[in-house]
């Protein structure tokens, strides 16, 4: 899934390359990803200049006169800029031509969705959840974070992934944030004290800002997910203490963590420091 740092980089690149350009072509290979809340299809965009591209929740919204195309890449969606006529990827779902450059939406799982709607008709878009606080904004303070955390009855990793609370953290960065804060992913939110909450808040800000800067610094093509700088996600050895990285299932998702740097906080969890493995 593109996470916030990826989306911000994609957004910046698309704005630089495409803003103000007219749609000159459209192609659909995987109709299942498209939803139309207007009468017609992608050909409605032909001849319209791209006025804006922005992020709204975990969607990228392409704004044209009178129409918005809102794309939620879900688990496997990616954007790519190609020359028109360049060989299609097997995962191509649809493409919009802008003269000598083509914007492709690729999706290996065809799970993402693209909604063509009348301008700002957000209610026609499933899952356009708003209300989560932008973790990169100045409004995301320690106090605000603590108040969000206060009434939660779930595990801390589930809370971090809740898009209605925080905008937004996905699986990869949830692991990085918890590692940075030294908190076990299965810890109950209610077990976190004031100091823990402060440390966790600071870890969110630190990890997400660093990642935004790193992804931008690398300047890879937008279809590439830059993840090799992560410390625990999909890793084998803790970069801090050398322990073996473990995984735990948290609400159906695999969490990666270091058992020594993020010790178990409640009974019933495997204490990996005592297993000798
Ligand atoms: Zn460690």
């Amino acid at each position: 899934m593109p996470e916030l740092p990826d989306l911000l980089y994609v957004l910046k690149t698309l704005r630089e390359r495409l803003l103000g350009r007219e749609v000159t072509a459209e192609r659909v290979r995987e109709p299942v990803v498209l939803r139309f809340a207007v009468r017609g299809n992608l050909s409605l965009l032909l001849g319209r200049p791209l006025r804006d591209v922005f992020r709204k929740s975990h969607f990228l919204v392409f704004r044209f006169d009178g129409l918005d195309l809102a794309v939620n890449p879900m688990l496997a969606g990616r954007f790519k800029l190609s020359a028109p006529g360049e060989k299609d990827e097997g995962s191509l779902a649809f493409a919009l031509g802008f003269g000598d450059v083509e914007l492709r939406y690729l999706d290996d799982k065809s799970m993402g969705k693209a909604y063509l709607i009348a301008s700002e008709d957000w209610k026609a878009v499933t899952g356009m959840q708003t209300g989560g606080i932008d973790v990169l904004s100045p409004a995301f303070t320690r106090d605000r974070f603590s108040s969000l955390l206060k009434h939660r009855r779930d595990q801390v990793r589930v809370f971090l992934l809740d898009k209605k609370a925080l905008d937004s953290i996905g699986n990869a960065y949830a692991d990085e944030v918890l590692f940075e804060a030294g908190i076990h992913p299965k810890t109950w939110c209610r077990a976190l004290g004031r100091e823990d909450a402060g440390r966790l808040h600071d870890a969110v800000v630190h990890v997400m800002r660093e990642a935004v800067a790193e992804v931008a610094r690398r300047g890879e093509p937008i279809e590439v997910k830059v993840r090799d700088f992560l410390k625990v996600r999909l890793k084998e050895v803790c970069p801090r203490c050398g322990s073996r990285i473990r995984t735990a299932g948290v609400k159906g998702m695999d969490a990666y963590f270091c058992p020594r740097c993020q010790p178990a906080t409640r009974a019933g969890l495997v204490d990996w420091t005592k297993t000798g493995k």
Side-chain angles (χ1 to χ4, degrees), residues 179 238 240-243 258 260-261:
F179 175 71
C238 172
R240 205 174 281 156
C241 75
S243 297
C258 170
R260 193 171 297 273
C261 298

Side-chain angles (χ1 to χ4, degrees), residues 21-34:
R21 302 184 74 161
E22 270 181 26
V23 178
T24 51
E26 52 89 14
R27 300 189 292 140
V28 176
R29 284 288 146 81
E30 194 51 79
V32 70
V33 307
L34 285 159

Side-chain angles (χ1 to χ4, degrees), residues 109-164:
K109 299 196 187 299
S110 298
M111 277 175 71
K113 290 283 175 288
Y115 296 83
L116 187 64
I117 59 173
S119 286
E120 305 209 349
D121 184 16
W122 308 129
K123 64 182 186 318
V125 180
T126 309
M128 179 71 90
Q129 296 155 328
T130 51
I133 183 165
D134 182 345
V135 297
L136 296 172
S137 71
F140 183 64
T141 59
R142 275 185 166 206
D143 281 349
R144 185 76 188 273
F145 184 69
S146 289
S147 66
L148 284 170
L149 194 55
K150 201 180 277 173
H151 304 291
R152 303 289 300 207
R153 305 179 68 83
D154 45 10
Q155 300 173 56
V156 63
R157 193 175 189 277
V158 177
F159 163 64
L160 290 177
L161 291 171
D162 181 357
K163 308 277 183 286
K164 287 179 194 141

